Amino acid sequence: LDAKLNFECDLRAKHAVQQAIADDASFRTTIYSLPLEQASVFFDGSKQTSDIAKELRYQIGRRNARQFYQDEKIMDNSTFDSIAWADLRSLLEKRPKMYQLWYGKQCSGFCGT
């Protein structure tokens, strides 16, 4: 009996793992709220626990930039989505404002040097 139960549990576990791998990203990005929390704000799967203005501006700017690059045929949406924007943002947040400005001008081609 124990061997049969063990075998059945193994089959079910394997099936659950295969199903999880096959499922969409929606399975992997579960959104959690605290039990007594009446409302929660999430941006791109990330829960906002303080002032949402900074992240809201970022998300609006990202969406507008994605649309602009697509409309102007600078890059298609799949290329835009493949860029590690979060990593770039994290790196630039640690740099001085003047460096951020210089970097933006260098990357956009609107710099005299």
Side-chain angles (χ1 to χ4, degrees):
L1 180 65
D2 288 341
K4 286 182 179 181
L5 287 175
N6 190 29
F7 180 76
E8 183 66 26
C9 286
D10 283 347
L11 284 179
R12 289 182 183 209
K14 287 177 185 177
H15 177 71
V17 169
Q18 291 170 348
Q19 186 66 36
I21 291 170
D23 277 352
D24 226 12
S26 62
F27 178 80
R28 295 182 204 111
T29 57
T30 304
I31 296 176
Y32 297 100
S33 294
L34 296 173
L36 298 178
E37 206 169 35
Q38 294 180 356
S40 302
V41 177
F42 292 86
F43 288 119
D44 200 19
S46 178
K47 184 176 180 180
Q48 303 302 300
T49 57
S50 61
D51 185 20
I52 65 168
K54 184 176 180 181
E55 187 65 24
L56 181 60
R57 280 192 298 272
Y58 173 76
Q59 292 296 332
I60 291 171
R62 177 179 161 80
R63 185 175 32 130
N64 290 344
R66 186 175 189 263
Q67 186 63 49
F68 175 78
Y69 287 153
Q70 177 72 30
D71 293 345
E72 296 295 318
K73 298 184 181 0
I74 297 170
M75 69 176 76
D76 59 9
N77 288 337
S78 62
T79 303
F80 186 90
D81 294 337
S82 71
I83 297 172
W85 295 112
D87 295 335
L88 180 61
R89 180 184 185 195
S90 176
L91 172 78
L92 288 177
E93 282 179 344
K94 299 172 187 166
R95 304 285 188 247
K97 291 291 181 191
M98 289 307 294
Y99 179 82
Q100 294 175 18
L101 181 62
W102 173 83
Y103 188 83
K105 287 182 175 182
Q106 288 291 322
C107 292
S108 66
F110 288 100
C111 187
T113 59

